[in-house]
Amino acid sequence: ATAVTSWPMPPGLLCNQALTSFTPFSLDCEPAPTYELQALLKAQAKANEAIHHCENAGAEVCAKLAKRGVDRISMVQGWFTYYAYRAYSDLQTNLHETRMDFEQAAESAMANAPGSEAGSLLSCATDDLRPFDPLPNIHPMDHRLSALPPLLTLASLALPSLTCSARQRSARAAVDFL
């Protein structure tokens, strides 16, 4: 039997902190494409592969977000369709919304399918699209953050943070917060 390991936690991460897209993971992606058409095609290929990993790992939210992102840019299949959609449709908005979906799907995969390649593939697909995104500094924010009562949010900031053991960190990483 093989043991399932969780993602390595960066040093200094505290027990009461959840993994987010701002957690300093080290991820090696190939260099971003130099042309928008290449970026769209590579991102589609990576996202389609990640969808299979999400489905196999049981991360339905990740698969749904990645599918939605691919559906927005799937009409671009070569130079002719790229130029047609670039000139006569709102491809820039679709590219931005696809990047947002891939970024949120990557975060979901990191949290809900820690042993899967889905998070890495979606993060690299996001990196491929970012240079061509008209709004690259906008990132998805989980709507559940606004569901917390204001006093609870302030109280959680005032609590002292304690560091935890490696066992507690790995247990924390395995928590399904969806």
Side-chain angles (χ1 to χ4, degrees):
T2 60
V4 177
T5 59
S6 63
W7 288 98
M9 300 294 275
L13 189 67
L14 304 174
C15 283
N16 60 351
Q17 290 179 327
L19 298 176
T20 68
S21 59
F22 302 108
T23 305
F25 289 103
S26 60
L27 182 65
D28 292 326
C29 297
E30 57 190 46
T34 54
Y35 300 105
E36 189 174 32
L37 173 60
Q38 291 174 333
L40 289 165
L41 296 176
K42 284 185 175 186
Q44 284 181 57
K46 289 174 186 174
N48 283 326
E49 185 180 347
I51 289 168
H52 295 297
H53 288 290
C54 290
E55 290 170 343
N56 291 341
E60 295 87 15
V61 174
C62 169
K64 181 179 178 181
L65 287 166
K67 284 178 186 177
R68 185 171 70 183
V70 169
D71 287 344
R72 281 197 185 100
I73 59 171
S74 64
M75 69 286 219
V76 176
Q77 295 297 320
W79 66 269
F80 180 78
T81 54
Y82 167 72
Y83 286 116
Y85 281 98
R86 184 77 165 96
Y88 300 110
S89 76
D90 196 6
L91 186 60
Q92 290 297 294
T93 298
N94 287 343
L95 190 145
H96 170 70
E97 291 175 358
T98 296
R99 184 197 53 86
M100 296 278 285
D101 282 342
F102 287 173
E103 192 170 331
Q104 190 166 5
E107 185 175 343
S108 176
M110 295 284 191
N112 298 314
S116 170
E117 290 284 322
S120 298
L121 288 167
L122 288 164
S123 293
C124 289
T126 299
D127 286 343
D128 288 344
L129 296 177
R130 185 170 288 122
F132 307 100
D133 188 350
L135 303 168
N137 296 321
I138 297 177
H139 303 285
M141 183 63 72
D142 197 343
H143 70 280
R144 290 169 296 192
L145 293 176
S146 63
L148 284 176
L151 291 177
L152 182 60
T153 306
L154 292 175
S156 68
L157 293 175
L159 291 176
S161 299
L162 302 173
T163 58
C164 54
S165 68
R167 185 176 191 186
Q168 289 172 320
R169 285 194 305 266
S170 64
R172 177 69 184 156
V175 172
D176 180 7
F177 63 88
L178 289 178

